[in-house]
């Protein structure tokens, strides 16, 4: 019997990253424009949310909605809670059910799956049946932010990015021969690797240039980790009349939410590196999103554009695998 070469099946693994996840929209748009339609889509956390919209054929309408979000609209989805997490998440999922498709995952036009984490055992949970809205709600349940999602048998599910931030293994289990992994957090740790230095004495004979302040100071103050708030130093004189030396600016004190969100992000970066070393995707798309905070959901246009740019840059590498 003659062997016939078949076209490899492509799986898309959309990674976690909170508000940076809107970049997945740009990635998917760029792939569609290049004629590359994945055979399987899976996601963790925000990747599950965007992946569900894509699998349901709702991506463009979903993209229009996220780009219309302002700070007021984002806060409107905040249903604050006193136990289990800051937010219940019910407003967001209720909005999804009213405005976008909610159906059984097994009936999805494009095969879809989401990753969650069993809070009691720490096990990775693959959600491949049941309500697609319920699967998304479980996958985005970031500990400390959203309340866990109960399942039958007393199991509680939380964010899938805790155990598998870029779910390459799930895409392969679904049947993918070639996996495209979208890593939203690859450059986060690099953004704060600028050492603090003392600015030179203004009266020195040959002063060195002080480090430049960020062009957008308001954006720099939006996310504390690695973004130092620059203050203008006042001048003071010593008893001898010598000009005072400028000192390096200090970071503002982080909030509890800052600490929790940044700690989770760092953890996910480390887990992503470990899991990709053991089961690397054939192609990695890594948008540069360090300038976006984890709750900057109102900055969708920036994230989408960067996702599009990163996907277009990866197209030549992808073409080698599927031709």
């Amino acid at each position: 019997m003659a062997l016939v070469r078949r076209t490899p099946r492509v799986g898309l693994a959309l990674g976690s990253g909170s508000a940076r996840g809107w970049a997945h929209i740009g990635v998917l748009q760029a792939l569609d424009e290049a004629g590359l339609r994945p055979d399987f889509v899976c996601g963790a956390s925000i990747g599950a949310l965007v992946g569900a919209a894509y699998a349901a054929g709702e991506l463009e309408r979903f993209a229009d909605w996220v780009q219309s979000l302002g700070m007021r609209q984002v806060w409107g989805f905040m249903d604050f809670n006193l136990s289990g997490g800051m937010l219940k998440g019910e407003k967001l999922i209720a909005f999804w059910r009213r405005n976008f498709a909610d159906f059984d995952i097994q009936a999805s036009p494009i095969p879809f799956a989401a990753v969650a984490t069993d809070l009691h055992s720490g096990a990775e949970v693959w959600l491949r049946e049941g309500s697609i809205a319920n699967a998304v709600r479980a996958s985005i349940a970031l500990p400390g932010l959203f309340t866990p999602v109960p399942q039958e048998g007393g199991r509680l599910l939380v964010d899938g990015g805790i155990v598998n931030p870029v779910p390459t293994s799930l895409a392969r289990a679904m049947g993918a021969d070639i996996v495209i992994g979208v890593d939203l957090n690859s450059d986060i740790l690099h953004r704060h690797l600028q050492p603090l230095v003392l600015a030179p004495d203004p009266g020195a004979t040959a002063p060195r240039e002080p480090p430049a302040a960020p062009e957008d100071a308001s954006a720099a103050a939006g996310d504390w980790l690695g973004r130092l708030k620059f203050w203008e130093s006042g001048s003071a004189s010593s008893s001898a009349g010598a000009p005072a030396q400028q000192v390096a600016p200090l970071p503002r004190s982080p909030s509890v939410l800052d600490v929790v969100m940044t700690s989770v992000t760092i953890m996910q970066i480390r887990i992503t590196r470990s899991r990709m070393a053991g089961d690397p995707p054939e192609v990695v798309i890594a948008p540069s999103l360090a300038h976006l905070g984890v709750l900057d959901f109102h900055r969708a246009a920036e994230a989408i554009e960067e996702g599009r740019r990163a996907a277009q840059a990866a197209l030549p590498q992808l073409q080698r695998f599927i031709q």
Side-chain angles (χ1 to χ4, degrees):
M1 180 182 295
L3 296 178
V4 178
R5 183 176 180 180
R6 65 174 175 82
T7 303
R9 293 174 295 182
V10 177
L12 191 60
L14 303 178
S16 59
S18 297
R20 293 184 285 270
W22 296 150
H24 289 314
I25 296 173
V27 169
L28 289 163
Q29 290 174 338
L31 293 179
D32 271 355
E33 290 165 4
L36 301 174
R37 189 169 179 82
D39 299 286
F40 311 96
V41 177
C42 62
S45 195
I46 191 70
L49 177 63
V50 178
Y54 180 74
E58 298 273 9
L59 184 67
E60 291 311 312
R61 199 158 65 87
F62 185 73
D64 291 340
W65 172 67
V66 302
Q67 290 181 89
S68 72
L69 290 175
M71 282 296 295
R72 178 173 296 181
Q73 287 81 8
V74 171
W75 280 102
F77 286 107
M78 304 296 185
D79 44 2
F80 292 98
N81 185 65
L82 296 178
S83 63
M86 290 179 60
L87 306 174
K88 291 184 290 185
E90 294 176 0
K91 284 187 177 181
L92 176 61
I93 294 304
F95 178 87
W96 174 277
R97 294 184 195 278
R98 289 195 307 270
N99 294 277
F100 299 100
D102 182 19
F103 48 82
D104 193 284
I105 292 174
Q106 293 177 313
S108 175
I110 300 175
F112 170 80
V115 179
T117 304
D118 187 319
L119 185 60
H120 291 152
S121 68
E124 180 176 341
V125 179
W126 291 349
L127 302 172
R128 304 179 64 176
E129 59 185 23
S131 164
I132 198 168
N134 290 346
V136 168
R137 172 63 182 88
S139 191
I140 66 172
L142 189 65
L145 185 61
F146 286 106
T147 56
V149 175
Q151 276 200 331
E152 293 181 4
R155 185 163 65 172
L156 290 176
L157 299 184
V158 294
D159 196 303
I162 300 300
V163 291
N164 200 352
V166 182
T168 302
S169 55
L170 176 52
R172 295 200 194 283
M174 295 173 73
D177 302 302
I178 305 298
V179 177
I180 306 168
V182 185
D183 183 4
L184 303 177
N185 300 316
S186 62
D187 65 332
I188 300 300
L189 290 183
H190 299 161
R191 69 184 176 184
H192 64 286
L193 297 182
Q194 299 178 358
L196 299 178
V197 296
L198 288 177
D201 187 330
T205 306
R208 293 174 298 171
E209 290 189 6
E215 293 181 3
D216 185 357
S218 62
D223 189 358
W224 76 274
L225 180 59
R227 302 185 188 186
L228 302 181
K229 185 177 180 181
F230 284 73
W231 292 281
E232 292 184 359
S233 299
S235 60
S237 298
S238 66
S239 58
Q245 187 180 43
Q246 294 178 341
V247 297
L250 297 175
R252 67 180 175 89
S253 178
S255 68
V256 172
L257 186 60
D258 284 332
V259 173
V260 172
M261 295 297 100
T262 303
S263 299
V264 170
T265 297
I266 292 172
M267 177 193 66
Q268 290 181 347
I269 292 169
R270 299 300 186 186
I271 294 172
T272 300
R273 290 178 179 179
S274 175
R275 299 209 55 158
M276 280 191 174
D279 186 9
E282 279 67 32
V283 177
V284 177
I285 298 175
S288 297
L289 299 165
H291 62 291
L292 294 180
V294 293
L295 298 180
D296 283 345
F297 291 101
H298 59 291
R299 300 173 65 182
E302 299 173 56
I304 291 172
E305 184 56 33
E306 176 54 25
R308 179 185 293 273
R309 184 209 62 77
Q312 290 171 342
L315 286 176
Q317 180 187 6
L318 182 58
Q319 293 286 359
R320 294 202 304 269
F321 282 103
I322 63 176
Q323 285 183 345

